[in-house]
Amino acid sequence: MATIVRPYGDTLDDGKVQLSFSLPVAEGPKAREAARLIVESWGFRDCEVVHSAPMSEDFTFFVAYAKAQGGIDFELVVADDAREGESMSMDEVDAFIRERIGRKVVVVGACTGFDAHTVGIDAIMNMKGYNHHYGLERYAMIEAHNLGAQVTNERLVEYSAKVKADAILVSQVVTQKDVHIANMTQLVELLEARGERSRYVLVAGGPRLSNKLAIELGYDVGFGRGSYANEVATWVVNRIVDKAKAR
Amino acid sequence: MKDKLGLPRDRIDGARDLADKITRPILGFVEKHTTVTVERATLRLAGCDGADREGVPVPNLVVDQLEASGRLEEGALLWYANALIREGRDPGELDARIAAGLKIGDLPLGDREAIRRKGEALARAGLDRVAANRATREALLDRWKGRNNDPLLYLIVATGNIHEDVKQARAAAMRGADVIAVIRTTAQSLLDYVPYGATTEGFGGTYATQENFRIMRAALDEVSEKEGRYIRLTNYASGLCMPEIAAMGALERLDMMLNDSMYGILFRDINPYRTFVDQNFSRMINAAAGIIINTGEDNYLTTSDAVEKAYTVLASQFLNERLALAAGLKPWQIGLGHAFEMDPTLKNGFLLEFAQAQMAREIFPEHPLKYMPPTKFMSGDIFKGLAMDTLFNFVSKATGQGIHLLGMLTEAIHTPFMMDRHIAVDNAKYVMDNIASFADEIEFNKEGLIVKRAHEVLERTLAFLEEVEAKGLFDSIAEGLFADVKRPRDGGKGFGGIVEKSGEYWNPVEESLKATLGLRVGDGRRNGAEGGR
Ligand code: B12
């Protein structure tokens, strides 16, 4: 049975949505009407522009409420998150590696390109971890190498080959003008050119990254905001075992 | 502002003494060395500019050639002035010839006296322009006295395209901003040259170039005129070209510069020696130009916890102050940094913030403290974010901060949209107007949390400074005492660009700066030693 869901204000299916945006026009009655029409042109009904203010001579800020028309069948929605299902704890991951892999798993992590944000990759890699979740360095059965930030893809690839990494962890925080896409793509191309792509479990992470985008760009998985080391470790060790089976 | 925390005077003086002792060996090293970018900044102030066909700036062409032939230790201006005399041209023409391949280090040196006179005239012309810019600013500030907000409202633009930045800056200024900062593009700090000309491509920010400075200053002058309020312009004298950017800012009448004495070392892995030499020269330029520097203590709290590591902020403020005074900056020019970065889930976190801000105000009474908004704990919940920014606005006004960087509700998402800034200004004006006289109305419970916390942080800072003094600043940095990052003294970027001055070293720009600032040659340390109260 289809279960159609719509936005909820104070009555089921009222479709109420709040919006705020700006237009490159001077504030005034004409601007407000333009704002209302533009919202309705997006498929909303009963738009009310509840606030408008000039931001400069020729830009105006608006707040509007309107009723969304569309709904979707919730049953048909497939979540796109690497963290679906239960993750193992640190100890469970270590036990899993001992039993199923029988040697230490080597992981290399870096924040690549010009990106200088280290806090995200550190949250996953460093001993201390993040929000009471220890990082991979703390795992008895993981050999973790954190190369830090502003690491070139070339260096990451060479280093990973040198330490015979099982998994490469890439962090991308700056996404303005899609720099992360170019940079992440370059890494995949580099690995492919060297015939090394299949050697590694390739993991991407960062606050504006989705699993879907990572997979599209040729990674095995992508982790978004609020990820923890044990979730990443769970995913990686399972994949290593699956890869071995497939061989 | 009235003393409300009862902080012990002798302990504050003690911290200043320690900062003096800690920085003394640094200044000794600074005195004996120059760097490639100090030389390029010198050339720029003397009128050298332009770039070759590949975009390599002429100051780099000159310095690279002199460095390769081991002649930089005598000072680049010697060779530049010599070439001008030999070739009988003005700087513009000479620069074009250098760009076309002329190697001025290969020209035989002529009459030293003539070179000296030429070099001094070039230095004077450059510094006269800097002084004229300063006078213009002062006249405009005077003309529109009392029209700026208090604290100054500081907004960032960062589109990557200078022409787009202009639109955003105009809108921000018209909404009420007093200071516009053009954020630099990702990784410019690691370029060992300053790009030339107007630029339209940057990531997370816009290239700092002299032409971009000029374009933005002209746009802001126009808005200032319209609004009847002087709008200050800010950029970053940081990274591998710190002194050159200071020089360009001084030449184009920028009003503020982010300019920290250790940020490059800790957060950009730039060599410590290089950074200390560069910061000193850049700060002399800023001092002469009447520019207000903003130091980068807020950065400590993006990687460390604000409760636990509050003392690193105060310790760094003392060190930044000392090094700034030693470079001739006056307390009114030293915008010491700090930030509202407590974990929002913390009970009484607001009181701890209040204590830190009030403490900074009382320890540095004449300094225009630069207060940074919450960033690290901002999330996709923009409504919660706006509430956090509101508390930040409150603390800032209630403790009399000088420069208030507006928090953005979308901090965790993107570089600001125009409407994000609009909301931020509205919020700040609402809060600050509503509590305009709040600071005069309140005092603190002597036994209370705020007073106790401030005393605690001061004591912890003294213990920390003692540790740094015992170890020495270089070893302290190498062992990770600051910001938990370890930077060995001979590691990091730009180490190769340090040059020991020979006995013949000659730099009329430096001499002239020191003369203007009342700094004695060979003794940057003592001057301004009485400052900071
Ligand atoms: C701290 C900070 C900085 C610090 C970084 C210090 C450091 N050593 O890291 C400093 C001050 C240096 C900085 C600089 C800049 N920053 Co900044 N910064 C931030 C800030 C405030 C917090 C980031 C953070 O630490 N988050 C905490 C961590 C734990 O979260 P996280 O990174 O999301 O990581 C988690 C997940 O994403 C995931 N994850 C992350 N990486 C990985 C990797 C793997 C493999 C996996 C599995 C998971 C994973 O797990 C982590 C834990 O859950 C954000 C704003 C914000 N509140 O988010 C801006 C922000 C990220 N910065 C931004 C920008 C633009 C910059 C600059 C370019 C500004 C400039 N022009 O100078 C420069 C960048 C310079 C450069 N070369 O990169 C923008 C990015 C906009 C965008 N979407 O492109 C933001 C959003 C601020 C803004 N609104 O403008 N920044």
Side-chain angles (χ1 to χ4, degrees), chain A residues 114 116-119 171 175-176 206-207 227, chain B residues 183-184 186 204 375 411 414:
Chain A
F114 290 132
H117 293 87
T118 54
V119 183
S171 179
T175 60
Q176 217 192 17
S227 311
Chain B
I183 297 285
R184 283 197 311 185
T186 307
T375 62
E411 167 63 32
H414 47 234

Side-chain angles (χ1 to χ4, degrees), chain B residues 261-329:
Chain B
S261 56
M262 299 204 295
Y263 174 85
I265 304 171
L266 300 172
F267 301 103
R268 286 290 181 270
D269 197 12
I270 295 175
N271 176 262
Y273 289 116
R274 165 84 177 249
T275 299
F276 285 125
V277 176
D278 289 349
Q279 62 88 32
N280 181 260
F281 199 73
S282 64
R283 284 178 171 192
M284 288 197 289
I285 298 170
N286 288 331
I291 283 175
I292 293 175
I293 64 162
N294 294 178
T295 60
E297 281 78 6
D298 49 293
N299 291 287
Y300 289 88
L301 304 182
T302 62
T303 46
S304 307
D305 180 71
V307 179
E308 219 179 287
K309 292 293 170 73
Y311 67 91
T312 60
V313 169
L314 182 56
S316 169
Q317 288 171 334
F318 279 120
L319 295 175
N320 258 316
E321 177 194 47
R322 184 87 282 285
L323 287 168
L325 293 170
L329 286 155

Side-chain angles (χ1 to χ4, degrees), chain B residues 193-265:
Chain B
Y193 66 94
V194 183
Y196 183 76
T199 68
T200 54
E201 300 238 312
F203 300 108
T206 306
Y207 282 100
T209 72
Q210 193 167 337
E211 180 61 10
N212 286 350
F213 287 2
R214 199 193 56 73
I215 292 172
M216 187 56 94
R217 181 67 268 168
L220 293 184
D221 279 347
E222 229 181 274
V223 189
S224 298
E225 194 66 49
K226 204 178 238 157
E227 298 285 304
R229 192 171 86 247
Y230 188 64
I231 314 289
R232 291 173 169 86
L233 176 58
T234 303
N235 212 285
Y236 292 64
S238 63
L240 284 171
C241 295
M242 192 190 275
E244 283 176 275
I245 296 191
M248 292 163 18
L251 291 169
E252 300 300 340
R253 186 163 39 88
L254 266 69
D255 308 284
M256 287 187 190
M257 281 285 182
L258 283 271
N259 190 225
D260 192 89
S261 56
M262 299 204 295
Y263 174 85
I265 304 171

Side-chain angles (χ1 to χ4, degrees), chain A residues 18 54-55 150 176-177 179 208, chain B residues 159 175 190 202-204 412 415:
Chain A
Q18 64 196 46
M55 296 194 291
Q150 299 195 317
Q176 217 192 17
K177 307 235 167 97
V179 263
R208 306 260 81 75
Chain B
T159 67
R175 279 305 302 167
L190 299 183
F203 300 108
T415 47

Side-chain angles (χ1 to χ4, degrees), chain A residues 83 109-110 114-125 130 149-150 168-177 179 203-209 222-228 232, chain B residues 158 183-189 203-206 236 263 267-268 298-299 302-303 341 374-379 408 410-416:
Chain A
R83 295 171 292 177
F114 290 132
D115 203 326
H117 293 87
T118 54
V119 183
I121 189 75
D122 287 351
I124 304 296
M125 304 284 293
Y130 181 61
Q150 299 195 317
I168 301 179
L169 269 51
V170 177
S171 179
Q172 290 287 271
V173 177
V174 178
T175 60
Q176 217 192 17
K177 307 235 167 97
V179 263
V203 182
R208 306 260 81 75
L209 267 178
F223 285 85
R225 69 192 148 83
S227 311
Y228 295 121
V232 180
Chain B
I183 297 285
R184 283 197 311 185
T185 181
T186 307
Q188 180 170 4
S189 56
F203 300 108
T206 306
Y236 292 64
Y263 174 85
F267 301 103
R268 286 290 181 270
D298 49 293
N299 291 287
T302 62
T303 46
E341 290 282 21
T375 62
K376 170 162 81 168
F377 291 103
M378 295 296 274
S379 69
M408 293 294 134
T410 53
E411 167 63 32
I413 306 164
H414 47 234
T415 47

